[in-house]
Amino acid sequence: PEARRELTSLRAAMKKKVGVQELEQEAKKASAGGAADGAGDSPFAGMFGDQQAMKERARGARERRLAEELNSKREAGNTAHRVGDYASAQRHYTEALKLDPKATGLLLNRAAARLMLEDYVGCHEDCQKAVELQPDLAKAYVRGAKSLQLQGNFGGAEELLEKGLERVSRSDRTELETQLRGARAALQSLRRGGG
């Protein structure tokens, strides 16, 4: 609409036989001195607005669409997980992670779905990635250790939990300590030949 108004104004000015130089001066005034990319040198300067502002608006619109798509995939995964459709949950979380591969919450959600699908290796990989991205994330240690325990790797679970105890906040240590006691008890049982 604004471009159409300016074009109409230019046509009207031409009908009045205004000189090109005067048109250019008016265009420069309208675009507040012209854009930095030289667009102010044209009689159509400012017709489409400031180029930098247009790029920022476009980037903002792309970011909003990406955030909406990411949220939609996350919610679809959460809904599938709540109803026990862990394969769909894993698929939705994977799609969301393609949009934001560093989202630790999505990694942990996918790890939970993989745990339920008995994909213990995939669960552990997601937890490891989450720990790399956010070393104080208690759930990553707990789920990762659980996946190792379910694979029979109690020593690896113990090691992961000990590492977690060094990095998580005091308030998050209780669950790690409880799981660590369980991993140590299982290790002792194995060493005694009980399992």
Side-chain angles (χ1 to χ4, degrees):
E2 186 177 317
R4 190 174 284 171
R5 258 192 312 258
E6 288 186 29
L7 187 56
T8 303
S9 171
L10 286 171
R11 286 182 182 149
M14 286 183 194
K15 285 181 183 177
K16 293 180 184 178
K17 297 186 181 185
V18 174
V20 173
Q21 289 179 340
E22 291 169 338
L23 282 174
E24 287 177 349
Q25 288 174 351
E26 283 183 35
K28 283 182 183 179
K29 287 178 190 175
S31 66
D37 61 6
D41 298 334
S42 160
F44 302 105
M47 183 178 287
F48 301 107
D50 177 25
Q51 292 296 318
Q52 186 62 32
M54 286 175 54
K55 288 178 184 177
E56 289 174 18
R57 282 192 300 273
R59 185 175 63 244
R62 279 191 306 274
E63 289 173 0
R64 280 189 300 281
R65 281 192 305 273
L66 178 69
E68 288 169 4
E69 186 178 356
L70 180 68
N71 191 47
S72 172
K73 291 180 186 309
R74 175 184 303 131
E75 285 305 313
N78 291 347
T79 300
H81 197 279
R82 273 192 298 273
V83 299
D85 186 356
Y86 304 115
S88 290
Q90 176 183 276
R91 188 180 75 251
H92 290 297
Y93 294 138
T94 298
E95 290 171 6
L97 281 162
K98 288 177 185 174
L99 300 173
D100 187 1
K102 294 183 178 183
T104 55
L106 288 171
L107 285 165
L108 289 177
N109 288 352
R110 186 173 69 177
R114 288 178 165 179
L115 195 61
M116 298 305 291
L117 292 168
E118 298 180 9
D119 177 7
Y120 305 132
V121 172
C123 174
H124 182 254
E125 288 171 355
D126 283 346
C127 292
Q128 284 296 110
K129 179 71 174 173
V131 164
E132 289 171 20
L133 294 168
Q134 191 176 342
D136 63 344
L137 198 56
K139 279 186 182 180
Y141 294 102
V142 170
R143 276 195 197 135
K146 187 171 188 172
S147 71
L148 289 171
Q149 287 174 318
L150 290 168
Q151 294 176 67
N153 184 353
F154 297 101
E158 179 182 33
E159 185 179 314
L160 182 61
L161 290 166
E162 286 174 347
K163 186 167 125 181
L165 284 172
E166 296 171 5
R167 296 180 176 174
V168 302
S169 68
R170 283 191 191 275
S171 62
D172 289 333
R173 288 186 183 157
T174 304
E175 192 173 1
L176 271 75
E177 290 168 344
T178 301
Q179 194 169 345
L180 182 57
R181 283 192 296 276
R184 287 180 176 157
L187 266 174
Q188 286 177 351
S189 177
L190 286 172
R191 289 179 184 141
R192 286 190 301 248

